[in-house]
Amino acid sequence: KRELKSVYTRFLQSGTPTVVDGRIYVLGAARMARCFDAKTGEVVWEQRLPGEFTDEFMMSSFAVVDGVAVVLCGHLMGLEAATGKLLWEGDVQKTRGTHSSPTLWTGGGRPLVIANAGGEDTICVDPRTGAELWRVKTSGGQSTPVIVGNRMITLANQRRGGLRAFELSLTEAKLLWTYQRV
């Protein structure tokens, strides 16, 4: 058990902790990212992420790959997994989000991150640099993309957007089908 000071918000901070290589990564209130030793519960690092704190709720979990912990904390960011040092930030408007979690995909034999960004789009980025490889309109703003092999499924924020499946490549995500029934 580990208790740490936080700030009051009216909303739950409900991202699922991510466990990788004996470490636990979690995003909490006031944009506080933390990494714990999974065996002892000791804090490995704490990092307040950029952005002005308002009474907000952050629900993103971390995607940890290739030494980088990627999270949506107002917008997409990449932290050095070992130290918590901020490596890169996505564009504040084009990669904005708080509810969805980035997810991992191996494309072309290399680890990549896919995230819903900006409310309407899903993007694929290089986890080391944050460089965007492609962007596609999915309307999947608050859901987390599901990746199976080279296929991605997103769920739109509105019923008319429906459930959508895409074929992934290093250069694009091609729409395969849409299901809009209840």
Side-chain angles (χ1 to χ4, degrees), residues 4 6 11 38 43 52 61 101 113 123 130-131 140 148 152 159 178-179:
L4 299 168
S6 189
F11 307 104
V43 175
E52 185 177 327
S61 298
S101 296
V113 171
I123 62 174
V148 178
M152 173 179 72
R159 185 181 301 170
T178 300
Y179 183 79

Side-chain angles (χ1 to χ4, degrees), residues 46-119:
E46 293 180 310
Q47 173 75 333
R48 183 165 179 325
L49 300 179
E52 185 177 327
F53 171 73
T54 57
D55 192 15
E56 58 202 353
F57 47 110
M58 299 295 178
M59 296 184 176
S60 179
S61 298
F62 280 91
V64 180
V65 63
D66 203 21
V68 181
V70 180
V71 68
L72 265 172
C73 182
H75 60 285
L76 199 62
M77 301 178 197
L79 309 172
E80 189 173 84
T83 67
K85 175 186 172 195
L86 184 66
L87 296 173
W88 56 265
E89 291 183 72
D91 179 274
V92 173
Q93 289 303 313
K94 291 181 180 179
T95 69
R96 76 181 185 280
T98 57
H99 290 61
S100 177
S101 296
T103 191
L104 305 177
W105 173 55
T106 301
R110 68 187 222 205
L112 300 167
V113 171
I114 293 181
N116 288 334

Side-chain angles (χ1 to χ4, degrees), residues 136-158:
V136 63
K137 183 175 249 359
T138 62
S139 300
Q142 295 190 39
S143 66
T144 297
V146 175
I147 310 295
V148 178
N150 285 334
R151 300 276 169 100
M152 173 179 72
I153 296 176
T154 62
L155 177 63
N157 290 336
Q158 305 87 16

Side-chain angles (χ1 to χ4, degrees), residues 156 159-166 175-181:
R159 185 181 301 170
R160 71 176 179 269
L163 193 64
R164 296 176 180 190
F166 296 85
L175 181 65
L176 297 174
W177 53 260
T178 300
Y179 183 79
Q180 296 174 310
R181 292 177 181 81

